[in-house]
C-alpha cells in the first residue's frame, strides 16, 4: 500500500508505534529544565485541623498510616510533592500503633510536635522528639507505636516518586502486625552520637547512613557552636548537611537532608540549581521568592523549590532566627553528573 501524502505518512507512522522526532525535538531537548512542579506552600495550622479530624474519625487500623499527603498541583497523578520526592504529615494518637511493613522506597521522619512515639526499625526502638530526624532506609521493617499521652505529628519524606518512575517499587507486610524489640533501644543513635568517633564493628558496605536518629538536641548544639561569627552560604545561610558518619556522604542515596539557620534579617543571594528542594519551617517567619511566586512561611509550614527555579530566602525578623529543615534530590543529581547551579 503506497503512502499517498503527509497525512497518510504521519497517521500510518503512529499505527506502527513510531513517531517523527522533528515534531518533538523542542520539547524533548529543552535549552534548560522546566519543572512541572509548581512553587507551593502548605500551611501547617490549616492542615493540622484536618489531621486532628481524621485522628478522631479514622481508626489507625483502617488507615495503616494516617498521613496527609502534600500534593503539588502540578504533580497530581501519581501524587508527588516535587518531581522525585514526597512529603506527608503523619498523626498518631496515644495508644495507637501503625503496623509493620517495608518497601524499597527510602524514608525519613522529621518530628513536628508531641513526643513519646518510638518507631521500631529492623527490631530497634528509636524514640522521637520534636526536631529529631529519623531514618528508615529502603527495605528496613518499620512500625510506629505511641505509648505516651498527647497526639504526635511528624513530617514524612520519601522518594517513592523516583522509585516508582524507575519501576523499582517493592512492598511487603511484616509476618506479624508489629515487630518485637530485638536490639538495644536507640543503639543506632547512641553509638554514633559523638559524630566523629565511629564504632569500628559496623560494616561500611551500605549506601545508607547507619544513624537511626539525628536528635534535635545535637542539631541545636551544632548551630549554637557555630554562633554568629560566620555568614555561611550566601544563598542558604548557616546550612549544615546531615551526613553518613562512615563516609561523609548524604544520609540516603536519593535524599540529602539539611538544617539551615537564617540569621536575623538574612536575605539570601538568589540562585537556581537542578535539585528540587522541600523545605519545612522549624521556627521563625520569612519569605522565599520562587520564580514569580512569593511564599510566606510560618512555623511548621512546608514549601517547595522546584528544580531550576530561582529562589531567594529571607528571614522576616530582625531579632529572631529562622530555621529550616530541607531535603532534596541533590545526591541523585550529583551521582548522575546532573548537578548544576547558577548564582543570580
Ligand atoms: O510511616 O511507614 O507518609 O510507609 C508514606 C509511606 C509514611 C510510614 C508515609 C509510609 C509511611
Amino acid at each position: 500500500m503506497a503512502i499517498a501524502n503527509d497525512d497518510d505518512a504521519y497517521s500510518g507512522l503512529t499505527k506502527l508505534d513510531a513517531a517523527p522526532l522533528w515534531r518533538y525535538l523542542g520539547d524533548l531537548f529543552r535549552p534548560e529544565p522546566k519543572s512541572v512542579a509548581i512553587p507551593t506552600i502548605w500551611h501547617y495550622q490549616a492542615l493540622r485541623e484536618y489531621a486532628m479530624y481524621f485522628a478522631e474519625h479514622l481508626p489507625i487500623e483502617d488507615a495503616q498510616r494516617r498521613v496527609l499527603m502534600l500534593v503539588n498541583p502540578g504533580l497530581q497523578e501519581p501524587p508527588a510533592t516535587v518531581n522525585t520526592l514526597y512529603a506527608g504529615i503523619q498523626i498518631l494518637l496515644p495508644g495507637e500503633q501503625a503496623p509493620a511493613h517495608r518497601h524499597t522506597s527510602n524514608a525519613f521522619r522529621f518530628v513536628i510536635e508531641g513526643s513519646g512515639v518510638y518507631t521500631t526499625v529492623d527490631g530497634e526502638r528509636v524514640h522521637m522528639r520534636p526536631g529529631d530526624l529519623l531514618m528508615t532506609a529502603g527495605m528496613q521493617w518499620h512500625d510506629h507505636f505511641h505509648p505516651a499521652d498527647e497526639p504526635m505529628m511528624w513530617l514524612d519524606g520519601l522518594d517513592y516518586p523516583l522509585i516508582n518512575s524507575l519501576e523499582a517499587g517493592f512492598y511487603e507486610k511484616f509476618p506479624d502486625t508489629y515487630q518485637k524489640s530485638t536490639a538495644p533501644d536507640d543503639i543506632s543513635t547512641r553509638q554514633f552520637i559523638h559524630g566523629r568517633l565511629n564504632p569500628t564493628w559496623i560494616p561500611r558496605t551500605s549506601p545508607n547512613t547507619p544513624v537511626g536518629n539525628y536528635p534535635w538536641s545535637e542539631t541545636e548544639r551544632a548551630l549554637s557552636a557555630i554562633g554568629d561569627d560566620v555568614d555561611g552560604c550566601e544563598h542558604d545561610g548557616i546550612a549544615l548537611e546531615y551526613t553518613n558518619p562512615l563516609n561523609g556522604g548524604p544520609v540516603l542515596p536519593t535524599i540529602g537532608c539539611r538544617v539551615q539557620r537564617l540569621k536575623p534579617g538574612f536575605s539570601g543571594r538568589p540562585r537556581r540549581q537542578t535539585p528540587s528542594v522541600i523545605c519545612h519551617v522549624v521556627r521563625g517567619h520569612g519569605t522565599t521568592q520562587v520564580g514569580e511566586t512569593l511564599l510566606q512561611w510560618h512555623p511548621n509550614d512546608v514549601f517547595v523549590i522546584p528544580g531550576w527555579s530561582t529562589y531567594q530566602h529571607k528571614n522576616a525578623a530582625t531579632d529572631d532566627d529562622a530555621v529550616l529543615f530541607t531535603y532534596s534530590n541533590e545526591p541523585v543529581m550529583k551521582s548522575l553528573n546532573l548537578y548544576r547551579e547558577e548564582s543570580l
Side-chain angles (χ1 to χ4, degrees):
M1 190 177 64
I3 301 167
N5 52 36
D6 277 11
D7 283 353
D8 266 10
Y10 283 111
S11 62
L13 207 52
T14 307
K15 288 193 195 102
L16 296 176
D17 296 317
L21 176 63
W22 56 94
R23 288 203 165 171
Y24 292 91
L25 214 45
D27 276 344
L28 295 177
F29 301 90
R30 311 185 73 92
E32 57 182 37
K34 189 173 181 310
S35 182
V36 297
I38 292 168
T40 305
I41 184 160
W42 292 265
H43 293 294
Y44 183 68
Q45 281 314 320
L47 284 171
R48 190 182 188 282
E49 205 181 317
Y50 289 85
M52 296 301 288
Y53 173 89
F54 284 111
E56 200 181 315
H57 292 91
L58 177 71
I60 191 69
E61 294 74 21
D62 296 349
Q64 305 258 337
R65 296 294 189 272
R66 198 189 287 107
V67 183
L68 306 181
M69 306 173 73
L70 307 189
V71 182
N72 193 292
L75 293 166
Q76 289 183 328
E77 205 48 61
T81 311
V82 292
N83 55 350
T84 72
L85 297 170
Y86 148 93
I89 306 280
Q90 182 158 177
I91 178 166
L92 200 65
L93 295 181
E96 289 186 332
Q97 190 150 14
H101 66 207
R102 68 178 181 177
H103 34 68
T104 43
S105 290
N106 295 292
F108 70 78
R109 317 183 197 286
F110 188 87
V111 182
I112 299 173
E113 60 174 292
S115 62
V117 168
Y118 59 80
T119 177
T120 304
V121 180
D122 279 350
E124 176 191 334
R125 293 171 170 175
V126 188
H127 288 84
M128 302 169 68
R129 286 168 216 86
D132 289 1
L133 172 66
L134 295 101
M135 309 309 304
T136 312
M139 291 318 269
Q140 290 190 304
W141 295 110
H142 53 288
D143 56 76
H144 318 307
F145 179 52
H146 195 344
D149 54 15
E150 50 180 355
M152 196 159 171
M153 260 79 91
W154 62 84
L155 178 77
D156 287 318
L158 282 90
D159 59 6
Y160 76 73
L162 176 68
I163 301 306
N164 289 346
S165 75
L166 293 172
E167 300 181 345
F170 293 84
Y171 171 94
E172 277 175 77
K173 282 188 172 164
F174 192 64
D176 295 327
T177 312
Y178 313 117
Q179 298 173 79
K180 290 192 172 55
S181 165
T182 57
D185 285 7
D186 294 302
I187 188 62
S188 67
T189 307
R190 291 187 281 122
Q191 66 193 359
F192 289 101
I193 205 69
H194 182 286
R196 282 181 300 281
L197 282 171
N198 287 322
T200 54
W201 57 93
I202 304 290
R204 286 162 190 254
T205 48
S206 170
N208 307 314
T209 181
V211 176
N213 182 357
Y214 296 81
W216 182 253
S217 53
E218 298 296 317
T219 307
E220 190 87 74
R221 228 156 59 89
L223 288 172
S224 57
I226 293 170
D228 289 333
D229 40 8
V230 294
D231 291 329
C233 165
E234 60 180 342
H235 312 290
D236 286 333
I238 314 280
L240 305 177
E241 183 172 9
Y242 294 89
T243 57
N244 176 335
L246 298 180
N247 62 19
V251 288
L252 293 165
T254 54
I255 310 178
C257 295
R258 294 184 174 183
V259 64
Q260 299 180 210
R261 173 182 173 229
L262 311 180
K263 290 201 269 190
F266 176 84
S267 177
R269 181 175 172 194
R271 78 148 163 193
R272 54 187 177 175
Q273 52 169 9
T274 47
S276 294
V277 185
I278 300 178
C279 305
H280 165 77
V281 183
V282 179
R283 61 171 180 250
H285 304 265
T287 59
T288 301
Q289 180 78 38
V290 185
E292 305 291 296
T293 310
L294 183 69
L295 305 173
Q296 282 190 286
W297 40 260
H298 306 284
N300 299 324
D301 290 352
V302 177
F303 62 94
V304 296
I305 306 171
W308 211 242
S309 309
T310 302
Y311 73 93
Q312 180 182 33
H313 293 305
K314 286 186 183 174
N315 178 351
T318 50
D319 49 357
D320 270 325
D321 283 350
V323 177
L324 305 177
F325 166 80
T326 66
Y327 60 110
S328 81
N329 54 22
E330 184 182 306
V332 178
M333 294 298 186
K334 289 197 165 157
S335 64
L336 299 178
N337 199 25
L338 297 171
Y339 181 81
R340 285 203 202 190
E341 63 173 327
E342 192 173 280
S343 293
L344 296 145

